[in-house]
Amino acid sequence: MDSIEQRVKKIVAEQLGVNESEIKIESSFVDDLGADSLDTVELVMALEEEFECEIPDEEAEKITTVQQAVNYINAHLKKA
Amino acid sequence: MTATWSTLNGQVALVTGASRGIGRAIAMELGARGARVVGTATSDAGAEGIQTALLAAGIDGAGIKLDVCEATDCANAISDIETRFAPVSILVNNAGVTRDNLALRMSDSDWDEVINTNLKAVFRLSRLVMRGMMKARYGRIINITSVVGAAGNPGQANYAAAKAGVAGLTRSLARELGSRNITANCVAPGFIETDMTKALSEAQRDALLRQISLGRLGRPEEVAAAVAFLASADAGFVTGSTLHVNGGMYMV
């Protein structure tokens, strides 16, 4: 099974319509990958679906890079 | 060659306030064009009435009891519809109340009740259906406003404010959601033959008719036809607008 990082990158690529090879762990969705505010909301929705979790709005707002998404998922999945 | 409307086959429509009047006509029209229709009413009897009418017309759908001011009930209703049918792809915010009085005599509760039902609940239901529409990359939000939201009306400061508020809300939603192929529009009826206008006195009615170019009140079906257009694929490039259905009473 793919690592969490790979799964996150795959979703980011699908949602934002960018090539997976362009996505680095430190990439910012808005600044580096051209996401708008609605894209970031959708991205969180897609992450919630992939990892079967619910990300509260105040947490979702803090997820602005691939690394932050991976960190959140790691922290959250351990609890499950 | 006969003109054909694009059908609403495969769509799931939620129509609030569908037990009578304009809402009922909208529910039946969307159903007749192929949508599965869920209509809401505030009473069990109202919900049953919708269910019976849909069934009698061979429309797949349901009548449900829902107070649009109850946030939790709204959220549950939306997820129930998704489970039972599919995510809502057409939302018609029609439910509305009036608490008419001169502004000078209008109580805070008259104001709040109308704003809560006619404006806040519209926002809340719209927010609830957005997620599914964004995922589907398709959606139609149609809000029933009123000629008085644009023209103003003595005795209806609360109602006119709520309806004008909905128009602003709708234009903002149109801008926010346009990139996801979701349209948001208003249909603004003028005076239509419903229980709401039956409450008018004969003198009020006569005065009203003189202001209407077509010289009559509208029929609920004429509002429903406008809604059905905006709900269809034919209206794919119409968003953020208000379609006035008022017999020429007020022209913008």
Side-chain angles (χ1 to χ4, degrees):
Chain A
M1 189 159 173
D2 288 347
S3 72
I4 286 178
E5 183 180 330
Q6 282 167 323
R7 285 162 74 191
V8 169
K9 281 184 175 173
K10 199 171 170 204
I11 287 170
V12 172
E14 277 169 20
Q15 286 294 323
L16 304 183
V18 292
N19 204 311
E20 230 176 296
S21 61
E22 289 170 42
I23 304 170
K24 301 187 185 76
I25 186 75
E26 68 272 17
S27 294
S28 153
F29 304 132
V30 174
D31 297 334
D32 300 319
L33 303 174
D36 65 18
S37 54
L38 198 57
D39 289 324
T40 60
V41 174
E42 275 193 319
L43 190 56
V44 168
M45 279 162 49
L47 290 170
E48 287 177 332
E49 209 155 277
E50 168 76 15
F51 295 100
E52 289 170 3
C53 61
E54 231 172 86
I55 306 176
D57 287 345
E58 63 268 24
E59 296 293 331
E61 280 170 19
K62 293 182 207 151
I63 302 174
T64 62
T65 66
V66 177
Q67 181 73 66
Q68 284 162 350
V70 172
N71 289 352
Y72 182 87
I73 306 287
N74 271 325
H76 198 85
L77 284 191
K78 269 175 208 154
K79 274 185 243 159
Chain B
M1 195 179 132
T2 52
T4 50
W5 288 92
S6 57
T7 74
L8 300 176
N9 289 344
Q11 306 294 321
V12 175
L14 172 62
V15 182
T16 64
S19 63
R20 57 208 166 104
I22 293 172
R24 168 64 66 88
I26 292 168
M28 302 311 286
E29 182 65 28
L30 297 180
R33 296 192 190 204
R36 284 177 287 175
V37 179
V38 176
T40 78
T42 49
S43 68
D44 285 322
E48 273 169 39
I50 297 166
Q51 182 98 36
T52 308
L54 291 171
L55 199 67
I59 298 165
D60 187 14
I64 62 170
K65 186 183 164 185
L66 177 70
D67 177 350
V68 293
C69 291
E70 295 294 333
T72 314
D73 294 349
C74 286
N76 290 338
I78 297 294
S79 70
D80 287 349
I81 293 168
E82 184 169 341
T83 310
R84 189 166 160 195
F85 300 101
V88 173
S89 55
I90 300 168
L91 170 65
V92 183
N93 283 302
N94 166 76
V97 295
T98 54
R99 295 288 179 271
D100 297 352
N101 214 332
L102 291 173
L104 204 63
R105 299 198 184 285
M106 187 175 284
S107 69
D108 280 8
S109 69
D110 289 338
W111 175 268
D112 290 343
E113 230 177 297
V114 168
I115 297 293
N116 281 338
T117 305
N118 298 14
L119 176 58
K120 189 175 183 180
V122 172
F123 164 67
R124 205 189 280 122
L125 274 172
S126 302
R127 188 176 56 187
L128 281 166
V129 300
M130 275 175 210
R131 182 179 278 246
M133 289 180 177
M134 279 167 64
K135 263 193 216 165
R137 291 286 188 273
Y138 185 88
R140 295 278 189 263
I141 297 172
I142 299 156
N143 296 325
I144 307 305
T145 55
S146 167
V147 64
V148 310
N153 199 23
Q156 291 201 303
N158 49 3
Y159 189 79
K163 294 300 190 181
V166 169
L169 162 67
T170 306
R171 289 190 287 267
S172 297
L173 294 181
R175 289 188 192 275
E176 273 190 30
L177 302 171
S179 65
R180 300 302 188 270
N181 195 32
I182 299 165
T183 66
N185 291 287
C186 297
V187 170
F191 286 84
I192 308 296
E193 300 277 6
T194 66
D195 291 346
M196 218 184 249
T197 50
K198 273 186 197 125
L200 297 170
S201 70
E202 199 60 35
Q204 282 174 319
R205 203 182 159 91
D206 287 345
L208 199 57
L209 288 177
R210 280 196 294 276
Q211 296 174 49
I212 302 172
S213 306
L214 291 174
R216 63 175 176 87
L217 299 193
R219 295 191 306 274
E221 294 73 25
E222 292 171 315
V223 179
V227 172
F229 165 66
L230 291 171
S232 76
D234 294 322
F237 203 52
V238 182
T239 195
S241 71
T242 293
L243 183 43
H244 291 271
V245 184
N246 62 32
M249 177 186 181
Y250 181 81
M251 304 184 194
V252 272

